[in-house]
Amino acid sequence: MHRVGSAANNGNSNRPRKEKRLTYVLSDANDRKHCAGLNCLAVLQSSASDGCNYLFTGSRDGTLKRWALGKDAATCSATFESHVDWVNDTVIAGGNTLVSCSSDTTLKTWNCLSDGTCTRTLRQHSDYVTCLAAAEKNTNWVASGGLGGEVFIWDIEAAVTPLSKSSDVMEDDCSIGINGSANPLTISSLRTVSSNNSINASTTQCHGYVPITAKGHKESVYALAMNDNGTLLVSGGTEKVLRVWDPRTGSKTMKLRGHIDNTRALLLDSTGRYCLSGSSDSMIRLWDLGQQRCVHSYAVHTDSVWALASTPTFGHVYSGGRDLSLYLTDLTTRESILLCKKEHPILQLALDDDSIWVATTDSSFHRWPAEGQNPQKVFQRGGSFLAGNLSFSRARVCLEGTAPAPVYKEPIFTIPGTPAIVQHEILNNRRDVLTKDTAGSVKLWDIIKGIVIEDYGQVSFDEKKEQLFEMVSIPSWFTLDARLGSLSVHLDTPQCFSAEMYSADLNITGKSEDDKVNLGRETLKGLLAHWMTKRRQRLGLQTPANGNALSRKDTTPRSLAHSRIEVDGNALNDSTVYPPFELSTVSPPSIITEGSQGGPWRKKITELDGIEDEKDFPWWVLDCVLNNQLPSRENTKCSFYLHPCEGSAVQILTQGKLSAPRILRTQKVINYVKEKMVLDKPIDNLNTVGTFAPGIGGQLQHSAVGDGSFRSGLKPRQKLRPSVEILCNNQVLSPDMSLATVRAYIWKKPEDLVLNYRVIQGR
C-alpha cells in the first residue's frame, strides 16, 4: 500500500502539506481467514498439561490471527489488527507477549491470550521492518532488522513500562485509545517536540526509552537469529556477509563470508556455538562461530532458501524456499530427503512437536508430518540423497530428471484462506469495481456498500469488463490498490469530494430527485456511522428527530480557523446515512488513517469507540461528518454553446455561452429548449437563462443553465410542444446522457462543448 508519510509538516518548508488520507479496506464474507500470503508463524506451547497450543500467523493482509490447535483442526480465536501494511515477522517473548513487525515501519506488542488489542507500538525504524529474533531464556530481549540497514535490540519490558506524562513529550497512537480499549491506554511511545512544536520524527522513541543499536549494516537486513540467553545475535541481508553482535552492547564481534547472494534465513543453536544460514544462492551453510568459519555447505535446493527450522538438538534442519520444496537434512551425515512439494514459494516454517507448519505466498497454510522428535524415522522410508557442497550440483540433478519424489503427498490438514485479489478495474460509474482473485474468480464489488454484489465465477476478466461497460462519465473520487489481498479504497481531500450524482440515480427516497448527492461525503458518513453513534452516547447527545447534525459546539478548532472551508449550499445539514451508503456490518471494513499525533492506525469501523478525535482522524474528515463542511473544489460546471442544427429553420435561442452542472442530463436541455421556443416569457417561478446565476448579470455570454430551470415537477402551460432532439457532432444524444458523458465520449475535444438542437415533429 502507499508508503506512510511523516506525522507532521516541517515548519520551515514552504510547500503545502499533503493532508492525511483515509483508507478503508473491504473484507469478504469470512473475517476468520487470511486473504493474502502468510509471511510468518509462531507456536505457543501450553504450559498446562490439558491446555491448548496456539499458532500465531502474520499475513500480507496486515493482520495476525491466533489459532487454537486441536489434533486435526485449528480454530481462529482472535484477530490482531493494528498494522497498516504487511506483517513480516512475529516472535513470542516473555511467555505471553507477541511481538510483530511490519512494512509500516513499526513493531507492535500484544498479549498472546487477549482479544486482539495492541498494547504498545514501537517506532524507531526508518523503513520496512523485515525480521525479528527473540531470546528463549532471556525473555525480555527482542531484536529487529529492516530495509534501512538498521538493527535494534529491545528490552521489551523496559520499552513498554508506562511512565507519567511530562511537559515536553506527546503521546503516540497507542496512548490515545485507538487500539481497542474503551479507555485511553497507558502511554507507550512518546515523541520529543522541537521548538517549533512539530514532531521530530527522527527522535521517535518509546517514552524516552531508546533501544540498543547494532551499527554496521550498510544495506537491507533480511534475517536475524539470537541464542537462548540473548548473548549472541547474528544478522544477514543483501551484503552477502553474516555479522555477529553482542546484543547487550550492540558491538560487533565478527563478520563471516561465504554466501554469494542475499542471506534470507538464520538459525542459532541454544548455546550460540553453531549458526545455520539460508541464502538466495540456494545454499545452506553451517557455521562454527567459535572457529569463525563455515564448516559445511549443503546443496539441497535449486533456488533461493527462504525458511529454516531445526530440531531441538540442532541435528537436523528443515528448509524451504522459492523452489516450492520442503527438505529435511541431517547436518552430520549430509543425508537429505524431500518431505513435500508445494504449489507456492515457502516463506516460513514452525516446528510443532512431530509436525511442521508451512507458510507460503498463498493465504491457505498447511500442517505436514515432520517427526521432529525422531527425524530418523523419515529417512527410513527411503528416497534420500546426499547433499552436495556446490550450488550447481542440485540444479544439475534436477535438470537430469532425477529429482527425488516427495515422502508426503498430502498435509495432515489445511487451514484455508480467502483467495487474494490480484486484478481490479474501476468501472465508469465510479461505484463498482471488477476484481479477479488467485482462484480465478471474477467478482463485482460495490465500494460504497463494501460488499460483493455479483460473483461471476471463473470467467474472462477482460470480457466481463467489456460487458459491464457503461457510457457514463463521473469524476475519479477515489483510488484503489490490492496490496493487502483485498480492496483498499483511498480517499484524499479535496479529490474525494469531486463526484456527485442525483438522488434519483441512487434511488434515494425522501429526497427531491434533483438533489445532488456527494459520493465522498456520504461514504464518509457511512464509514463513521458507528463512531457517530458512540460519540453521541459519550457526549450524552440525542439524535434529533429531524436528522439534523450536531450543534456547532462540536466544531473542531481546526475547522473554525481554516479559511479554505466553505459550506456546500446543496448539502442537507443532516447525519442520515442513506441506504446506498450503508456499509456491511456482517463483514465491516477497516479504517486506516492518522490524525495530528502519533502514526497511522487501523481498526474495524464497528470497533471505533467514539473517543477518537483530531489526534486520530484527519481534520477534513471531521469537518465533513461533524459540520457538513467540504473543502473548496474545482469548478463542477460544464460550459457549452447551444445552437440550432445547420440548415434548420428553428429560432436562435441564444448566442452566448451557457454553463450547467456536469451531471445535468440532456433531457433537461431538451426541456429548456422547449420552454424557450414555445413561450415568449418564462413560466412563473422559473429562472431565466440570463439571470439564473446571481451576481453575474443578464448577459447571455455569461449565463448559466441551472437545475432550477428544469424542475420536472412543474406543470407547463397546455400548448402544443415541439419534439426536440439534441445533437453533438451530428450524433443524436440520449436524454439520459449527462453533459460530462457527452463531453467525454461524443465531443472528445478540449474546447467548450457545442450542442445543437432541432425540431423533428410537433405533437
Side-chain angles (χ1 to χ4, degrees):
M1 58 171 301
H2 69 285
R3 196 176 284 264
V4 175
S6 173
N9 187 33
N10 185 344
N12 298 323
S13 174
N14 293 322
R15 292 185 303 170
R17 182 169 65 93
K18 182 174 176 59
E19 301 294 349
K20 306 292 195 306
R21 76 171 19 170
L22 183 138
T23 296
Y24 60 101
V25 183
L26 301 184
S27 176
D28 215 341
N30 193 336
D31 189 43
R32 293 187 173 272
K33 296 180 180 180
H34 285 297
C35 64
L38 269 70
N39 283 338
C40 51
L41 301 162
V43 175
L44 177 63
Q45 300 286 349
S46 173
S47 56
S49 58
D50 57 345
C52 178
N53 290 348
Y54 291 103
L55 174 70
F56 295 90
T57 54
S59 170
R60 295 178 177 182
D61 63 16
T63 70
L64 299 102
K65 294 186 185 295
R66 182 183 67 222
W67 306 85
L69 302 179
K71 183 178 181 181
D72 294 314
T75 305
C76 180
S77 58
T79 296
F80 299 78
E81 186 172 15
S82 183
H83 283 297
V84 302
D85 208 336
W86 289 11
V87 177
N88 293 323
D89 203 0
T90 186
V91 294
I92 297 172
N96 63 351
T97 298
L98 187 71
V99 183
S100 59
C101 68
S102 166
S103 295
D104 64 14
T105 75
T106 71
L107 281 73
K108 290 182 182 286
T109 64
W110 323 73
N111 186 317
C112 286
L113 304 180
S114 71
D115 59 356
T117 299
C118 173
T119 53
R120 302 292 182 266
T121 297
L122 308 176
R123 303 180 186 279
Q124 194 75 26
H125 285 269
S126 62
D127 209 332
Y128 293 1
V129 192
T130 55
C131 51
L132 298 172
E136 290 287 336
K137 295 180 180 178
N138 191 346
T139 55
N140 292 334
W141 288 104
V142 171
S144 60
L147 297 190
E150 301 150 326
V151 175
F152 297 116
I153 299 96
W154 303 81
D155 182 333
I156 292 298
E157 183 178 357
V160 303
T161 301
L163 295 177
S164 60
K165 297 181 183 179
S166 62
S167 59
D168 61 342
V169 294
M170 294 175 65
E171 300 177 34
D172 191 23
D173 58 6
C174 280
S175 63
I176 52 180
I178 65 172
N179 285 316
S181 174
N183 299 310
L185 297 175
T186 313
I187 294 175
S188 68
S189 180
L190 301 174
R191 300 180 174 209
T192 58
V193 180
S194 59
S195 58
N196 62 2
N197 289 328
S198 65
I199 298 176
N200 185 349
S202 65
T203 58
T204 301
Q205 299 168 3
C206 188
H207 65 68
Y209 170 81
V210 180
I212 297 170
T213 303
K215 296 181 179 180
H217 279 284
K218 300 178 180 63
E219 299 177 18
S220 300
V221 178
Y222 280 116
L224 292 171
M226 194 181 295
N227 67 334
D228 285 359
N229 292 324
T231 57
L232 203 63
L233 175 68
V234 182
S235 61
T238 58
E239 296 173 76
K240 307 179 184 63
V241 298
L242 305 186
R243 299 180 188 274
V244 184
W245 317 82
D246 182 343
R248 296 164 294 187
T249 61
S251 58
K252 291 179 286 188
T253 59
M254 68 184 80
K255 184 187 297 185
L256 304 172
R257 299 182 184 275
H259 286 297
I260 59 174
D261 208 334
N262 303 339
T263 304
R264 298 301 303 266
L266 290 169
L267 287 178
L268 273 174
D269 76 332
S270 58
T271 65
R273 170 74 185 273
Y274 294 104
C275 175
L276 277 168
S277 60
S279 169
S280 296
D281 62 14
S282 79
M283 297 295 293
I284 301 171
R285 291 183 179 273
L286 178 64
W287 308 81
D288 186 321
L289 300 186
Q291 299 180 28
Q292 300 189 24
R293 68 183 185 93
C294 175
V295 291
H296 286 295
S297 296
Y298 305 91
V300 175
H301 291 268
T302 58
D303 209 331
S304 300
V305 181
W306 288 349
L308 297 173
S310 71
T311 55
T313 61
F314 213 73
H316 296 74
V317 63
Y318 301 86
S319 58
R322 193 174 179 180
D323 61 1
L324 320 181
S325 302
L326 176 63
Y327 287 96
L328 171 63
T329 303
D330 187 320
L331 296 178
T332 304
T333 66
R334 310 181 63 84
E335 192 177 10
S336 188
I337 192 168
L338 176 62
L339 293 180
C340 64
K341 192 83 171 177
K342 304 287 293 177
E343 297 178 354
H344 305 276
I346 296 172
L347 298 177
Q348 203 170 86
L349 304 169
L351 202 61
D352 183 15
D353 294 329
D354 284 334
S355 61
I356 191 167
W357 291 97
V358 180
T360 70
T361 55
D362 186 38
S363 56
S364 301
F365 54 104
H366 310 274
R367 186 177 192 173
W368 291 85
E371 301 293 349
Q373 302 299 323
N374 188 6
Q376 287 301 329
K377 287 184 179 180
V378 180
F379 291 103
Q380 293 171 5
R381 293 171 173 261
S384 63
F385 62 92
L386 193 64
N389 56 10
L390 296 174
S391 60
F392 65 81
S393 60
R394 282 292 297 123
R396 186 179 66 245
V397 168
C398 185
L399 290 172
E400 291 172 352
T402 57
V407 175
Y408 303 111
K409 303 296 184 182
E410 298 293 336
I412 298 173
F413 67 89
T414 297
I415 300 177
T418 301
I421 293 173
V422 293
Q423 190 175 2
H424 58 81
E425 185 78 22
I426 302 172
L427 302 189
N428 284 356
N429 64 9
R430 303 298 174 187
R431 289 180 52 191
D432 297 339
V433 175
L434 193 68
T435 65
K436 182 178 181 179
D437 60 33
T438 52
S441 181
V442 176
K443 297 178 181 179
L444 186 65
W445 291 75
D446 182 343
I447 63 108
I448 66 175
K449 293 185 75 70
I451 59 173
V452 174
I453 54 178
E454 196 72 47
D455 187 344
Y456 301 107
Q458 296 182 350
V459 300
S460 168
F461 182 85
D462 292 333
E463 290 180 6
K464 181 57 65 175
K465 183 174 67 173
E466 291 179 8
Q467 293 172 12
L468 295 173
F469 174 80
E470 293 180 80
M471 189 180 290
V472 60
S473 178
I474 296 175
S476 297
W477 59 281
F478 63 88
T479 56
L480 278 181
D481 72 51
R483 175 175 167 79
L484 301 180
S486 53
L487 290 179
S488 295
V489 185
H490 307 299
L491 303 180
D492 292 282
T493 186
Q495 294 86 351
C496 70
F497 300 114
S498 62
E500 295 177 325
M501 293 180 68
Y502 287 119
S503 58
D505 296 328
L506 291 166
N507 298 317
I508 296 176
T509 58
K511 285 174 66 74
S512 170
E513 64 179 21
D514 288 339
D515 281 344
K516 294 196 289 289
V517 176
N518 188 290
L519 299 184
R521 175 174 56 205
E522 300 306 322
T523 299
L524 285 173
K525 285 163 58 178
L527 285 168
L528 297 182
H530 179 85
W531 174 80
M532 285 287 287
T533 300
K534 290 288 189 180
R535 177 184 172 86
R536 291 192 193 100
Q537 293 173 354
R538 181 175 62 85
L539 298 176
L541 299 173
Q542 297 296 321
T543 304
N546 62 0
N548 285 342
L550 300 180
S551 63
R552 294 291 295 182
K553 68 181 180 180
D554 280 317
T555 304
T556 60
R558 173 63 183 268
S559 67
L560 287 173
H562 213 279
S563 60
R564 290 180 295 164
I565 297 298
E566 62 177 18
V567 176
D568 187 334
N570 293 313
L572 287 179
N573 191 29
D574 62 42
S575 56
T576 303
V577 177
Y578 299 114
F581 301 90
E582 291 176 347
L583 288 141
S584 170
T585 55
V586 177
S587 53
S590 300
I591 281 180
I592 295 176
T593 191
E594 61 180 313
S596 61
Q597 295 182 17
W601 53 275
R602 172 174 172 169
K603 203 171 187 181
K604 289 207 175 298
I605 60 172
T606 51
E607 295 177 0
L608 295 171
D609 301 309
I611 61 175
E612 299 85 2
D613 54 21
E614 67 275 3
K615 295 192 300 294
D616 312 315
F617 285 115
W619 66 269
W620 59 269
V621 173
L622 297 179
D623 271 327
C624 173
V625 297
L626 291 179
N627 308 318
N628 270 322
Q629 292 185 342
L630 305 183
S632 301
R633 291 169 285 162
E634 63 182 42
N635 186 15
T636 59
K637 301 285 186 179
C638 177
S639 299
F640 64 99
Y641 292 94
L642 188 60
H643 297 157
C645 286
E646 186 176 352
S648 174
V650 298
Q651 69 189 82
I652 297 175
L653 301 182
T654 175
Q655 297 282 357
K657 185 190 298 185
L658 305 172
S659 67
R662 291 180 303 196
I663 63 174
L664 192 80
R665 301 294 187 196
T666 303
Q667 181 63 55
K668 300 287 188 177
V669 183
I670 293 174
N671 293 346
Y672 169 76
V673 172
K674 288 180 179 180
E675 295 293 344
K676 294 293 290 183
M677 292 181 66
V678 172
L679 302 176
D680 294 328
K681 59 183 179 179
I683 298 176
D684 294 341
N685 298 325
L686 287 183
N687 296 316
T688 64
V689 174
T691 60
F692 179 78
I696 293 179
Q699 299 180 15
L700 283 176
Q701 62 266 28
H702 297 297
S703 60
V705 179
D707 292 338
S709 301
F710 309 123
R711 293 174 186 163
S712 58
L714 295 174
K715 295 182 179 180
R717 296 178 182 177
Q718 297 301 314
K719 292 187 178 184
L720 289 176
R721 294 281 176 162
S723 183
V724 174
E725 286 182 339
I726 304 296
L727 296 87
C728 179
N729 280 346
N730 297 318
Q731 180 175 333
V732 178
L733 303 180
S734 166
D736 292 332
M737 274 192 181
S738 68
L739 293 180
T741 301
V742 174
R743 185 177 182 89
Y745 293 100
I746 310 298
W747 182 242
K748 299 180 182 179
K749 300 176 185 177
E751 296 84 11
D752 286 326
L753 178 66
V754 176
L755 300 180
N756 302 106
Y757 58 92
R758 69 185 179 191
V759 178
I760 55 173
Q761 186 179 0
R763 55 185 180 134

